[in-house]
Amino acid sequence: MAGKFELYKDKAGEYRFRLKAGNGETILASEGYKQKASAEQGIASVRKNAPQDQRYERKATTSGKPMFNLKATNGQVIGTSEAYSSEAARENGITSVKNNAPDAKLDDLTA
């Protein structure tokens, strides 16, 4: 099964999206957007930037666990990963985003 983007509204009424791998695991999550169109632009930006390794900011959580941010060309964070158990697991997560994001279908859960 291929990856997919899920577009949804959070409890605060903001639009968010998450990228799920073929196994259903969330591999990237967005910030909240006031407008649905802005969230859709965020998805388009993830699709465009995901294949480019230099767009990934590899870092650690405050507790020291590896994670990453995907950034747009302007440096703005467009998606954030979960915390991983190891740097190797984080690299697998990045590879999964690179492989899934460009062709992932959009599942609009706000409709």
Side-chain angles (χ1 to χ4, degrees), residues 36-56:
K36 183 176 180 178
S38 299
E40 291 169 337
Q41 289 171 347
I43 291 169
S45 185
V46 169
R47 284 190 171 121
K48 178 179 145 198
N49 289 287
Q52 302 173 54
D53 192 67
Q54 70 271 25
R55 298 280 180 252
Y56 292 88

Side-chain angles (χ1 to χ4, degrees), residues 53 58 68 84 86-96 98:
D53 192 67
R58 292 158 172 90
F68 65 87
Y84 291 96
S86 68
E87 289 184 16
R90 175 180 62 197
E91 291 306 313
N92 288 340
I94 290 171
T95 298
S96 186
K98 287 179 181 178

Side-chain angles (χ1 to χ4, degrees), residues 4 26-27 30 38 40 43 52 65 73 75-76 87 93:
K4 68 176 180 178
T26 299
I27 51 178
S30 76
S38 299
E40 291 169 337
I43 291 169
Q52 302 173 54
K65 293 204 176 276
T73 50
Q76 184 176 348
E87 289 184 16

Side-chain angles (χ1 to χ4, degrees), residues 6-89:
E6 288 182 344
L7 178 62
Y8 65 99
K9 265 182 133 169
D10 66 16
K11 289 181 179 129
E14 291 191 322
Y15 292 92
R16 293 179 180 268
F17 63 83
R18 56 187 158 236
L19 175 61
K20 291 192 167 192
N23 64 4
E25 187 175 332
T26 299
I27 51 178
L28 195 71
S30 76
E31 64 182 8
Y33 295 91
K34 300 276 185 224
Q35 305 293 325
K36 183 176 180 178
S38 299
E40 291 169 337
Q41 289 171 347
I43 291 169
S45 185
V46 169
R47 284 190 171 121
K48 178 179 145 198
N49 289 287
Q52 302 173 54
D53 192 67
Q54 70 271 25
R55 298 280 180 252
Y56 292 88
E57 176 187 37
R58 292 158 172 90
K59 51 191 290 185
T61 64
T62 52
S63 62
K65 293 204 176 276
M67 53 87 61
F68 65 87
N69 287 322
L70 175 62
K71 293 186 166 188
T73 50
N74 64 4
Q76 184 176 348
V77 174
I78 48 178
T80 301
S81 75
E82 64 180 2
Y84 291 96
S85 58
S86 68
E87 289 184 16

